[in-house]
Amino acid sequence: MAGEGGSDVGFSGIASWLARFRTAFTTPTWRRVLVLTSGAIVSPGRRTICSALRAMGLEDAADFSSFHRVLNCNRWSALALSRTLIVWLVSVLVPDGPVIIGIDETLERRTGRRISARGIYRDPVRSSRGHFVKARGLRWQAFMLLAPLSWTGRVWGLPFLTVLCPSERYTHERGTSHRKLTDRARQGLLQVARWLPGRRIIAVTDSSYASIDLLNAVRDRVCMVSRLRLDARLFDPPPGRTARTLGRPRRTGARQPSLTSRLENPAIQWSEATIGAWYGGQEHRVEFISGTALWHNPGRAVPIRYVLVRDPAGHFRPQAFLCTDLAASPVDILAWFVRRWSMEVTFAETRRHLGIETQRQWSDLAIARTTPVLMGLFSIITLVANDLQKQGRVQPAATAWYRKEGPTFSDAIAAVRRELWAAPYFHTSSSKGEQQKIPRALFNSLLNNACYAA
């Protein structure tokens, strides 16, 4: 399949990889999607429409504006693409067992008066426990599949749904109601549950989503795992009523000791467990106690299983976790929660290798589409690399002074780029001899990418 504008770079590979998404686009838009996707993968530096076209050898294309329209006005549903992507991810990487999903926010640092949805938020990368840093940009809520990849030896966070979360000021200026992060998480989780009927879904979040209203809204469809405050009000379930019980039913039973007081009680017997792939990827031995309780605030309550953890070596402070599945194992709860670390790795990798924060779209629709597409492209590249790895085509880059234990995303995207460049020309070439003829269009494209890499 030839690209538009006279490009000689073949598209049979990318078309087969993206075949599941074909029905979401019209035929003209689909041809441009193949060009832009290939350009976003192979182009270095910024991920703008122009850089993608230049990387594909289409810098002289007279219809360049039609590629901009793919993002800023063409009709296609990003939600439909998200559904196709999560079904693909689950079928390949999690064919059975629980589907573990992570939810977190990331800040895309963007400036410019024409970016109407930008706001001022806490910078999660530059801020720390005792140092608060503000940054201006766009806030995104990302839903990722947290699945282990056997050929990498660790869990990867694979985005499939990314939602723009404007500030409260932005919504008030437009006369619309503001939706909190927990409201968007509730809608997203229930949507995922509808996309994956019959599968057990476990959502792992940080303390921002430890909301009683959110837990109650989704716990019948999704098992929630999150942090729990050490001063949380925990109660026994309400006692049963008899025929002679007067008054309205009690909502709680006796109050349980606080988690902080349990840390100071020498009579409590702590259990030990070794959690694999702890933060940093190493195994770590922890001590824990667990139980069930009714987490109650005036007017609302939710049954939970809590897990209170402390480090016998004293490397981290005691912390508590909650799970809405009362029958879940405490060790499983901790193992699910530590998978969240892979989400931070994904945010860093998308900035480094896919040009997040380098886009230059100004229209609201293009802004709302570009970052989710680039985040989803991370997952698509991983799935393609997963197939290429079975053929031995994904190898970790190594030198005499640096040896990788396993492939990373830089190796995955390098293998996909190699496939895009080499497949149309060299897979049927003779294996004998050290010289091979390179078509002029491919040579110019490679040379152009190398010269404008920075």
Side-chain angles (χ1 to χ4, degrees), residues 146-161:
L146 308 180
L149 296 181
S150 58
W151 48 280
T152 65
R154 66 176 181 86
V155 172
W156 283 39
L158 302 173
F160 63 89
L161 176 63

Side-chain angles (χ1 to χ4, degrees), residues 5 27 97 127 140 185 194 222 248 264 381 390:
T27 299
S127 301
W140 298 92
R194 289 190 290 269
V222 179
R248 63 181 182 181
E264 302 170 352
I381 292 172
K390 299 175 183 177

Side-chain angles (χ1 to χ4, degrees), residues 8 90 124 151 159-160 166 178 220 230-231 256 282 286 301 366 368 381:
D8 292 329
V90 169
W151 48 280
F160 63 89
H178 177 64
D220 291 337
L230 294 178
D231 60 352
Q256 297 183 4
Q282 304 296 324
V286 298
I381 292 172

Side-chain angles (χ1 to χ4, degrees), residues 363-378:
S363 71
D364 291 343
L365 183 57
I367 289 173
R369 284 174 166 179
T370 306
T371 298
V373 166
L374 288 176
M375 295 289 284
L377 187 58
F378 180 95

Side-chain angles (χ1 to χ4, degrees), residues 171-365:
T171 55
H172 285 173
E173 288 177 352
R174 283 152 182 79
T176 59
S177 58
H178 177 64
R179 297 176 60 195
K180 298 184 292 185
L181 291 175
T182 52
D183 296 331
R184 296 182 182 275
R186 171 187 53 80
Q187 182 178 7
L189 288 172
L190 294 179
Q191 182 68 71
V192 173
R194 289 190 290 269
W195 288 344
L196 302 175
R199 297 300 300 269
R200 184 190 183 197
I201 301 174
I202 299 170
V204 182
T205 69
D206 61 10
S207 56
S208 302
Y209 300 91
S211 163
I212 293 179
D213 291 337
L214 173 61
L215 300 183
N216 274 326
V218 303
R219 65 189 180 93
D220 291 337
R221 307 282 298 277
V222 179
C223 170
M224 292 288 293
V225 177
S226 184
R227 292 188 182 272
L228 180 65
R229 293 172 58 101
L230 294 178
D231 60 352
R233 292 162 43 91
L234 303 180
F235 294 81
D236 290 332
R241 292 174 60 87
T242 64
R244 297 185 178 183
T245 302
L246 302 179
R248 63 181 182 181
R250 292 187 58 178
R251 304 193 64 178
T252 64
R255 182 166 183 176
Q256 297 183 4
S258 68
L259 299 178
T260 302
S261 65
R262 296 172 194 261
L263 289 170
E264 302 170 352
N265 187 350
I268 292 182
Q269 298 293 323
W270 292 74
S271 302
E272 291 187 357
T274 300
I275 307 301
W278 192 258
Y279 293 104
Q282 304 296 324
E283 290 187 347
H284 197 81
R285 188 173 65 88
V286 298
E287 295 179 342
F288 69 90
I289 56 175
S290 180
T292 59
L294 199 64
W295 181 23
H296 178 267
N297 273 335
R300 53 181 64 87
V302 60
I304 62 169
R305 170 169 289 279
Y306 65 84
V307 183
L308 181 60
V309 180
R310 70 181 184 185
D311 183 8
H315 293 157
F316 62 84
R317 298 180 180 180
Q319 47 192 307
F321 306 92
L322 66 87
C323 178
T324 55
D325 183 358
L326 305 186
S329 163
V331 176
D332 286 341
I333 295 173
L334 297 178
W336 295 333
F337 187 83
V338 297
R339 291 193 180 194
R340 285 193 66 252
W341 173 250
S342 61
M343 301 185 69
E344 301 298 334
V345 177
T346 297
F347 290 142
E349 297 281 38
T350 53
R351 288 184 173 91
R352 182 178 300 113
H353 299 292
L354 290 178
I356 294 291
E357 297 181 350
T358 65
Q359 312 94 290
R360 289 297 178 266
Q361 287 82 8
W362 303 115
S363 71
D364 291 343
L365 183 57

